[in-house]
Every structure is written in C-alpha cells, then in structure tokens.
Amino acid sequence: FPHPTPFRSDPAPKAGALTPLTLRVNTNSGAPVTDLQPYLDTYAHVTAFHEGDLAFSHLHPEGEAKGNGGPNLKLAAELPEKGNYGLFIQFQTHGQLHTAHLTVAAA
C-alpha cells in the first residue's frame, strides 16, 4: 500500500480570516484514499508553519471521526499572516501512521 500523498489544498487560505480549506488525500498513483482511520479522535492532525518566522497553527478536520474517512478532509484554517505555510499532516491507514507535507500560500 503506497503512502497517501500528495495532498491538495483548495481554495487557498486568506490570511487573518477563518477560511474553509479542503485537503484531498490520494495515493502516490493518484487514487483517492477512503480508508483513513481515526487517529487521536480525528482523521488528521495538521500543523501549519509560517515561512520565515515559524509561527504555527494546529488544525483538525471538521466533524466526528467514525469508521473510515477520506479522501476529502474539510478544515477551518485561520492563518494569521500572508505568505507560505508548510502544512505537516498526520493521518492513519491500516494501523500505520503517515506524515505528509504540503506548502500553501495564504493571500
């Protein structure tokens, strides 16, 4: 089973505002991952680090994690400043914890 990456962010977050953000989890071959397992009571833990000063935000998908989830994870992102953010996403499939990275630009 390939590691579920890359992630896609849509739409781009707006700095200083609560912005709905969707991350889509795919396998390396592009197939949607639909067997995300709850990990610490949610389908993913997302930490966003701001390029330059490393200010960060910790985000979780909306809704309750019951059974399998994916491929789309909806989050409410509040990133304080404009610029690039490195998102580190932890999620679990088949009892194995994965970490993936995605860079998004907050406008």
Side-chain angles (χ1 to χ4, degrees):
F1 185 80
H3 291 278
T5 54
F7 282 78
R8 188 188 82 224
S9 166
D10 185 36
K14 299 218 181 297
L18 194 61
T19 305
L21 185 68
T22 300
L23 299 176
R24 182 177 173 86
V25 186
N26 296 319
T27 65
N28 290 335
S29 65
V33 174
T34 58
D35 61 352
L36 295 175
Q37 297 170 320
Y39 169 64
L40 300 176
D41 295 326
T42 187
Y43 288 123
H45 292 265
V46 181
T47 305
F49 291 95
H50 186 253
E51 184 178 77
D53 62 11
L54 297 180
F56 71 94
S57 295
H58 187 83
L59 314 167
H60 297 112
E62 297 173 350
E64 190 175 351
K66 289 184 177 180
N68 288 339
N72 295 325
L73 301 173
K74 295 178 188 265
L75 302 107
E78 188 165 2
L79 304 176
E81 298 181 39
K82 291 181 180 181
N84 291 329
Y85 284 81
L87 274 59
F88 293 86
I89 305 108
Q90 287 187 304
F91 55 94
Q92 183 170 287
T93 60
H94 301 280
Q96 182 177 0
L97 184 63
H98 303 276
T99 302
H101 175 263
L102 171 71
T103 300
V104 297

